[in-house]
Amino acid sequence: MATRIASTTIVAPGQPSLVTSVSVPKRTSRGLWRDAWRRLLRNKLAVAGMAFILFMVAVAIFADVLAPYDPNRLFPGASYARPSSAHLLGTDDVGRDVLSRLIHGARVSLSVAIFVQMLILVIGLFIGGVAGFFGGRIDNWLMRFTDVFYAFPDLLFVIIITAAIGASVFNIFLAIGLVNWTDLARLVRGQLLTLRERDFITSARSLGAPAPRIIVNHLLPNAAGPIIIRLTYGVPQAIFTEAVLSFIGLGVRPPTASWGSMIERGNQAIFSAPHMVIFPAITIALTMLAFNFLGDGMRDALDPQNTR
């Protein structure tokens, strides 16, 4: 830590002046995000989850390089092959390499999770931000509109939308996003209802700052912590929903590989070829667990009362 030297002069009656040097620690100012990052790095489970997520993202990006075979390549006579040196995780019911499909399936599952959260962020921020800032009738109308979506069972609503508009990667993004934005909108609205009564918001209003500027520059940055945590927890939910849709046949169309579709095909031969189910199920479980660990760590790191 940097220090500064403060000189103090002590003069006694009838004595020469005496100069002493005292080392005074220099105070360092760290921002909220830097302190939160340091607290996050001290959480071993959160760091492990973040490392696993980065690893899976790298696998999805470089899937073409890392996969030993084309995910749709058929190996005649190798159906239901057990793990071996030629196929490290075995083959599926039509002779496709499970490891290659697992690697390429990371692209679909992680893409669904990330882009769904982006759609949820846009819808939730807009509706929750407008309702929380203006209040009154606008708040009442938007919250009743939110309650209509909130009343439907999430998975059932996703299945209805997907069955109506067709199964594709984009439609899965749209269906899951249109269902799961309500929690974020409620969270944003609650945060803004509290923050808009603070003194710095009153000062911004008195200076004539327009509403969009107050929301973007003052309210949302102060509510960013809970929003980020909510989005982090939403990622495993989106991955699980995509897996369920693929399992019941409403996910991505074959032969595109996804973790849920791999489990669906393996379920037909779970006793004779359990490797078809075990490996994608473990991958889904570890990915969801990693995001949950990261979400827990971010919740503790962004807690303003946490000074450890």
Side-chain angles (χ1 to χ4, degrees), residues 26-258:
K26 183 179 179 179
R27 297 183 61 183
T28 58
S29 177
R30 296 199 304 253
L32 170 65
W33 298 106
R34 183 177 297 181
D35 288 339
W37 175 251
R38 294 190 178 189
R39 287 195 293 267
L40 181 65
L41 293 180
R42 288 197 290 266
N43 190 321
K44 295 182 179 180
L45 290 177
V47 172
M50 184 166 51
F52 184 82
I53 292 168
L54 293 176
F55 169 75
M56 293 305 302
V57 171
V59 168
I61 294 174
F62 300 103
D64 294 330
V65 177
L66 297 175
Y69 305 102
D70 184 280
N72 299 321
R73 179 182 174 183
L74 303 179
F75 291 87
S79 301
Y80 298 114
R82 297 296 178 90
S84 62
S85 58
H87 304 283
L88 296 180
L89 301 184
T91 61
D92 62 7
D93 55 329
V94 293
R96 295 174 297 192
D97 185 67
V98 172
L99 177 59
S100 300
R101 293 185 63 79
L102 197 66
I103 292 174
H104 281 269
R107 286 183 171 179
V108 174
S109 298
L110 293 181
S111 297
V112 168
I114 294 173
F115 286 105
V116 162
Q117 298 310 309
M118 293 176 61
L119 180 59
I120 290 173
L121 180 63
V122 171
I123 300 175
L125 280 182
F126 176 76
I127 294 181
V130 173
F133 180 79
F134 292 101
R137 291 185 177 181
I138 295 178
D139 178 27
N140 188 33
W141 291 339
L142 289 177
M143 285 302 100
R144 299 297 76 77
F145 175 74
T146 303
D147 290 341
V148 171
F149 279 84
Y150 195 79
F152 285 93
D154 292 352
L155 185 57
L156 179 60
F157 201 12
V158 171
I159 292 174
I160 293 174
I161 295 176
T162 307
I165 63 179
S168 67
V169 176
F170 176 78
N171 290 343
I172 291 175
F173 294 165
L174 188 63
I176 300 177
L178 289 176
V179 171
N180 291 286
W181 59 267
T182 54
D183 288 337
L184 183 65
R186 287 168 170 246
L187 174 64
V188 173
R189 179 223 180 212
Q191 292 290 318
L192 265 60
L193 283 175
T194 303
L195 291 171
R196 71 175 187 171
E197 304 299 332
R198 303 287 292 274
D199 292 338
F200 66 94
I201 300 298
T202 304
S203 300
R205 284 175 171 170
S206 64
L207 293 174
R213 182 176 180 181
I214 294 176
I215 294 175
V216 174
N217 294 342
H218 300 287
L219 290 175
L220 292 181
N222 285 278
I227 293 173
I228 294 174
I229 295 170
R230 174 62 187 83
L231 293 175
T232 305
Y233 280 124
V235 170
Q237 181 182 1
I239 293 176
F240 179 77
T241 304
E242 184 276 328
V244 171
L245 290 175
S246 298
F247 182 79
I248 62 178
L250 293 176
V252 295
R253 293 297 186 186
T256 304
S258 74

